[in-house]
Amino acid sequence: MFASLFLGFRILAVWALTLVVGGFLWSGLFSGMDEPPGWIYGLLAMTLMVFTLSAIVGHVRRVSLIADRLDAQTLGNRHRRQVELPLDAATAFRVLEEVIGQMPRLEGFERSVGTLQLRALQRRADPYGDRPPSRWNLLARLAIKRNQITARVTPGTDTSSVTLLFEPDAGAWVDLLLLDEGSNFENAEAVTHALSGKVAEQRREERAQAARTEAEKELTVARLNLLHAQVEPHFLYNTLANAQVLTRADPERAEQMLGHLIHYLRSSLPGIDQSVSTLGQELERVHAYLEILRIRMGARLTLQVDVPEALHHVALPSMSLQTLVENAIKHGLEPKSGGGTVWILARELGGQLTVTVADDGQGITTHSSGTGIGLKNLRERLRLTCGEQASLAMVSNFPSGVAATISLPYVASVPPPFAPASVIVPPVPEYPHVP
């Protein structure tokens, strides 16, 4: 209350002093105030003081409704705000520009991205609508018609500081005579709250995006685990059936086959829940798998591996190499009466790893196109693990057979124990296949 009384007293005192000075001028022009024209000046002075008092009351009343308090800060015509935004300078300036650009009745808007400053002019709300004020309403005719908004962004380490200035579009002297009816305080509160709302909205979007990313990640992991569990285990059943027959015909070979099966399971089961393995681990698993097949196929199966030791630690989708080897034997070598050779080659070029599994079997035929569920499963695992940068290509091998090549980004993993760079598995005597 004291602030509003002081404001009213100050405005009335300045106007009274202005009228006294005007009275001296009037006396000089019209030969004193006691002459007949003097009462006209007195009437005008009284009318002006009444309008001034009503403007003061209106200003105080409106500010009390907007701010719900009356003090020197809220009653003033000019307001300054300092807002800290948890954004980089460019983003903070973009948000500030969007907020101020959406204010009503803008008549001018200047921005400078280089200096992170902007300035806007806003026409004050006209209480008279489209009609001009009455010719007798001197204060309305003298009132400032526009407000000015000046903003500056100061970059910080992790945040940006925004300085806002809201004032009438006139010199500071008008504060002694005229009031803005709380329009600049209203603008200051509106822009400050809008900036807070924009930051809160951006934080909500970031949290929602993080939640969506986490959900997509969990979905991808679940799909990878499902695809990993779908790798065909038929050879396990066939191996056990062969071992069962060999226990009666050749117990020593049966024991050898079960030993290779144990080695295969030992190398496979620890990573059954992992979607990504290494090329070295994949080679170890394939060797254990082929040792079992050698007992079944004997001299009909030969394996040649040409993989540099430096590539053994490169990341590779789990079970991908075995899928290609299974495909080469199942569709290429087993249907061929004389069997054949499986080659495994790996190279790195320009940050891209290529792994090729080739055979000299019967090749791509109408009975076996090589695009079954195993390869479809592998393509999906490559896409989920490496995105669009990974691919699987299959071409005819010369003079016979098929070559399947995986291409994916070179991603190093933890180096595994030493493994030979090139391995040749010699043929062994063939034993009958158990259907």
Side-chain angles (χ1 to χ4, degrees), residues 377-416:
N377 183 307
L378 177 57
R379 285 192 175 93
E380 182 69 6
R381 282 188 287 142
L382 286 172
R383 186 187 67 82
L384 293 174
T385 305
C386 307
E388 300 301 326
Q389 297 177 321
S391 63
L392 171 62
M394 297 188 66
V395 296
S396 296
N397 196 18
F398 182 83
S400 63
V402 175
T405 300
I406 295 176
S407 299
L408 68 165
Y410 183 98
V411 178
S413 182
V414 179

Side-chain angles (χ1 to χ4, degrees), residues 12 47-61 137 139 179 181:
L12 290 175
T47 303
L48 185 60
M49 293 300 287
V50 170
F51 278 117
T52 301
L53 182 60
S54 64
I56 293 172
V57 173
H59 176 80
V60 172
R61 177 60 178 165
N137 191 341
L139 289 182
L179 298 170
E181 295 182 339

Side-chain angles (χ1 to χ4, degrees), residues 246-321:
L246 288 176
T247 54
R248 296 189 295 269
D250 193 341
E252 184 178 351
R253 286 293 181 180
E255 182 180 357
Q256 184 181 1
M257 178 175 285
L258 290 176
H260 292 317
L261 179 59
I262 292 173
H263 179 65
Y264 171 82
L265 294 176
R266 184 181 294 115
S267 63
S268 300
L269 292 180
I272 197 169
D273 293 329
Q274 299 176 357
S275 60
V276 178
S277 179
T278 65
L279 183 54
Q281 293 170 344
E282 290 296 296
L283 284 173
E284 182 181 357
R285 183 182 294 121
V286 166
H287 279 304
Y289 166 72
L290 290 175
E291 286 295 331
I292 298 173
L293 291 183
R294 287 174 60 201
I295 297 178
R296 286 171 39 187
M297 298 181 63
R300 297 176 60 234
L301 173 62
T302 302
L303 173 68
Q304 294 190 16
V305 179
D306 184 9
V307 178
E309 181 187 347
L311 298 181
H312 282 204
H313 64 282
V314 178
L316 199 67
S318 183
M319 299 294 291
S320 57
L321 187 59

Side-chain angles (χ1 to χ4, degrees), residues 42 94 99 124 163 213 226 238 351 359:
R94 190 162 54 249
V99 168
R124 288 185 184 176
T163 304
T213 302
L226 177 60
N238 204 6
D359 66 82

Side-chain angles (χ1 to χ4, degrees), residues 45-317:
M46 291 179 59
T47 303
L48 185 60
M49 293 300 287
V50 170
F51 278 117
T52 301
L53 182 60
S54 64
I56 293 172
V57 173
H59 176 80
V60 172
R61 177 60 178 165
R62 192 165 189 274
V63 170
S64 66
L65 291 174
I66 297 174
D68 199 25
R69 72 179 193 276
L70 294 174
D71 52 36
Q73 180 183 4
T74 58
L75 289 170
N77 285 350
R78 302 172 192 271
H79 298 271
R80 183 179 184 273
R81 295 288 188 274
Q82 192 81 22
V83 182
E84 298 293 328
L85 299 180
L87 306 170
D88 61 90
T91 305
F93 186 79
R94 190 162 54 249
V95 171
L96 179 64
E97 182 182 10
E98 180 181 355
V99 168
I100 295 181
Q102 293 176 348
M103 297 187 67
R105 303 182 305 280
L106 288 183
E107 294 185 346
F109 193 83
E110 300 175 358
R111 57 191 293 274
S112 174
V113 179
T115 60
L116 299 178
Q117 291 180 313
L118 60 85
R119 179 176 178 270
L121 292 176
Q122 180 197 42
R123 177 173 53 84
R124 288 185 184 176
D126 188 358
Y128 305 98
D130 295 331
R131 295 182 294 107
S134 170
R135 71 178 65 180
W136 305 108
N137 191 341
L138 301 181
L139 289 182
R141 290 185 173 276
L142 293 174
I144 306 301
K145 302 299 188 297
R146 298 187 302 181
N147 289 327
Q148 177 176 281
I149 304 169
T150 307
R152 182 181 70 254
V153 176
T154 303
T157 305
D158 297 319
T159 62
S160 298
S161 178
V162 178
T163 304
L164 300 163
L165 183 62
F166 304 86
E167 56 186 345
D169 185 26
W173 63 269
V174 301
D175 297 348
L176 300 175
L177 300 171
L178 303 174
L179 298 170
D180 68 348
E181 295 182 339
S183 59
N184 283 290
F185 179 82
E186 185 178 17
N187 287 341
E189 292 294 293
V191 171
T192 303
H193 293 161
L195 287 175
S196 301
K198 286 290 184 181
V199 172
E201 180 183 356
Q202 182 168 336
R203 288 293 177 263
R204 286 193 298 269
E205 291 178 356
E206 291 176 354
R207 288 194 295 268
Q209 180 63 32
R212 287 193 297 269
T213 302
E214 184 64 24
E216 291 173 358
K217 179 180 178 181
E218 293 177 356
L219 178 60
T220 299
V221 171
R223 293 178 65 184
L224 281 171
N225 291 337
L226 177 60
L227 291 171
H228 184 64
Q230 290 175 350
V231 176
E232 290 189 53
H234 295 167
F235 79 97
L236 291 176
Y237 306 133
N238 204 6
T239 300
L240 292 175
N242 276 272
Q244 184 180 22
V245 173
L246 288 176
T247 54
R248 296 189 295 269
D250 193 341
E252 184 178 351
R253 286 293 181 180
E255 182 180 357
Q256 184 181 1
M257 178 175 285
L258 290 176
H260 292 317
L261 179 59
I262 292 173
H263 179 65
Y264 171 82
L265 294 176
R266 184 181 294 115
S267 63
S268 300
L269 292 180
I272 197 169
D273 293 329
Q274 299 176 357
S275 60
V276 178
S277 179
T278 65
L279 183 54
Q281 293 170 344
E282 290 296 296
L283 284 173
E284 182 181 357
R285 183 182 294 121
V286 166
H287 279 304
Y289 166 72
L290 290 175
E291 286 295 331
I292 298 173
L293 291 183
R294 287 174 60 201
I295 297 178
R296 286 171 39 187
M297 298 181 63
R300 297 176 60 234
L301 173 62
T302 302
L303 173 68
Q304 294 190 16
V305 179
D306 184 9
V307 178
E309 181 187 347
L311 298 181
H312 282 204
H313 64 282
V314 178
L316 199 67

